[in-house]
Amino acid sequence: MSSREVVVLSVGGVRFVTRASTLQQFPESRLAQMLNDNDQEFKLVNGEFFVDRDGALFSYIMDFLRTLQVSLPSDFSDYQRLQREAEFYGLYPLADLLRQEHLLKPRLEILEVHFSLQEMQAFFRIFGSCSTTIEALAEQITVFTGQQSGQGWNSPFPSQKPLVPLPLERPSHHDMVFLCGTEYSAGDQFVARYVSIKPDNRKLINGTNVLGLLLNTLLKDGFRLISTRTVISEEKVECYTFERMKRAAGLTITVNQTPGSSGVAQARRSQVQKGK
């Protein structure tokens, strides 16, 4: 059987097709022994190996064998059941990783948007519990500045004057600051700041419009608005609080495999914890 290139398994009524080499990633496992007819638990019926186990959980077993990584969906909760399945198949590196449930569970992420209007300018400050989210959002937001005649939210876009992109202010890894609107420069000239948020290509100067686009961007990115409140009544600073469940850094764990080894001693976390 070990010479087969393609192997078909029926696990709890769910059919899987894979390569023999995939099942032999861990030579001491029962799946590898199955190909050598050394395990009577696996019955060969009409050219398919029949296994009386949970077929849905076996899909994660197959993913692990194909990638040598543990990648579970954010709403996964059957850690103990999957651990038992890994032990049944003799995949002890996977079982050991699943015991570290605290590394695999998603974590709650909080993000706050502070917004205030002062005369013809709007100020934004975004705080996030996860620094990687703030970094990704900072790459989406660009502030452009330029001079124009006239004043007001509805001033015409200065199509004939070049706009210069400005870097966002980053007080820390967990927050960013930017503003939009107009301020007096000299004569009838005003400095205008426009905000663009990818993938939207518009350059907006009206603070309320920028706020609407920002909130919509966060909602599309999986965040849920949980509260709105006024944090500084004198300055009319409004706070919008969002949350979402985010996979913890280190969820993907790689197993290093050396020839002829079962892989038990080579299990290790491959990614550095970030955003904490």
Side-chain angles (χ1 to χ4, degrees):
M1 292 296 178
S2 59
S3 61
R4 287 182 175 218
E5 291 188 3
V6 177
V7 180
V8 181
L9 300 95
S10 177
V11 184
V14 182
R15 193 168 183 265
F16 296 87
V17 180
T18 187
R19 293 178 180 272
S21 58
T22 300
L23 300 177
Q24 294 169 330
Q25 288 281 9
F26 297 87
E28 296 178 6
S29 71
R30 297 184 72 178
L31 291 171
Q33 296 299 316
M34 172 191 73
L35 298 180
N36 298 322
D37 294 328
N38 292 333
D39 196 319
Q40 298 302 314
E41 184 76 29
F42 305 94
K43 305 295 183 181
L44 188 61
V45 180
N46 297 326
E48 299 183 6
F49 287 99
F50 174 76
V51 189
D52 190 16
R53 302 295 291 191
D54 191 306
L57 291 178
F58 190 72
S59 64
Y60 300 114
I61 301 286
M62 285 303 308
D63 183 65
F64 173 74
L65 291 174
R66 287 166 175 155
T67 66
L68 295 183
Q69 295 180 338
V70 181
S71 299
L72 302 175
S74 59
D75 59 349
F76 185 83
S77 60
D78 290 335
Y79 294 95
Q80 292 184 351
R81 290 182 59 209
L82 184 56
Q83 179 187 326
R84 288 197 300 268
E85 293 301 297
E87 291 173 347
F88 170 81
Y89 292 108
L91 296 170
Y92 298 109
L94 175 58
D96 291 341
L97 299 179
L98 289 168
R99 290 190 185 96
Q100 305 179 65
E101 188 175 327
H102 65 285
L103 292 178
L104 303 175
K105 281 188 173 180
R107 55 194 169 90
L108 183 65
E109 180 180 359
I110 301 295
L111 187 143
E112 288 190 349
V113 176
H114 288 198
F115 169 73
S116 65
L117 286 174
Q118 297 180 16
E119 296 180 352
M120 302 309 298
Q121 290 185 318
F123 294 81
F124 295 84
R125 186 162 191 167
I126 304 175
F127 303 84
S129 61
C130 179
S131 63
T132 54
T133 296
I134 295 298
E135 291 171 3
L137 189 59
E139 293 179 356
Q140 292 181 257
I141 300 175
T142 305
V143 177
F144 298 89
T145 184
Q147 287 192 336
Q148 67 177 57
S149 300
Q151 181 182 15
W153 297 117
N154 297 319
S155 299
F157 182 79
S159 58
Q160 297 181 349
K161 295 184 178 180
L163 293 177
V164 180
L166 295 177
L168 300 181
E169 183 180 344
R170 294 292 305 276
S172 74
H173 292 296
H174 290 271
D175 61 343
M176 72 177 79
V177 178
F178 63 93
L179 60 88
C180 66
T182 58
E183 62 180 345
Y184 178 75
S185 177
D188 63 347
Q189 297 295 310
F190 292 85
V191 175
R193 288 184 174 85
Y194 298 83
V195 174
S196 177
I197 305 177
K198 297 177 182 177
D200 194 295
N201 294 321
R202 293 174 296 171
K203 295 180 175 63
L204 303 176
I205 193 173
N206 185 301
T208 302
N209 293 342
V210 173
L211 176 64
L213 178 58
L214 175 60
L215 300 186
N216 187 56
T217 299
L218 294 174
L219 292 173
K220 289 182 177 179
D221 200 28
F223 281 97
R224 181 172 67 93
L225 180 63
I226 59 174
S227 71
T228 60
R229 68 185 191 277
T230 301
V231 292
I232 304 178
S233 57
E234 295 81 5
E235 299 180 7
K236 298 181 179 179
V237 178
E238 301 173 359
C239 175
Y240 300 81
T241 304
F242 295 82
E243 70 175 19
R244 73 174 175 182
M245 296 303 295
K246 182 178 178 65
R247 287 183 175 182
L251 174 65
T252 300
I253 302 176
T254 303
V255 175
N256 286 342
Q257 184 82 354
T258 57
S261 167
S262 65
V264 175
Q266 286 73 36
R268 68 180 180 86
R269 292 192 295 275
S270 65
Q271 294 197 358
V272 177
Q273 298 287 332
K274 298 177 65 178
K276 291 189 175 181

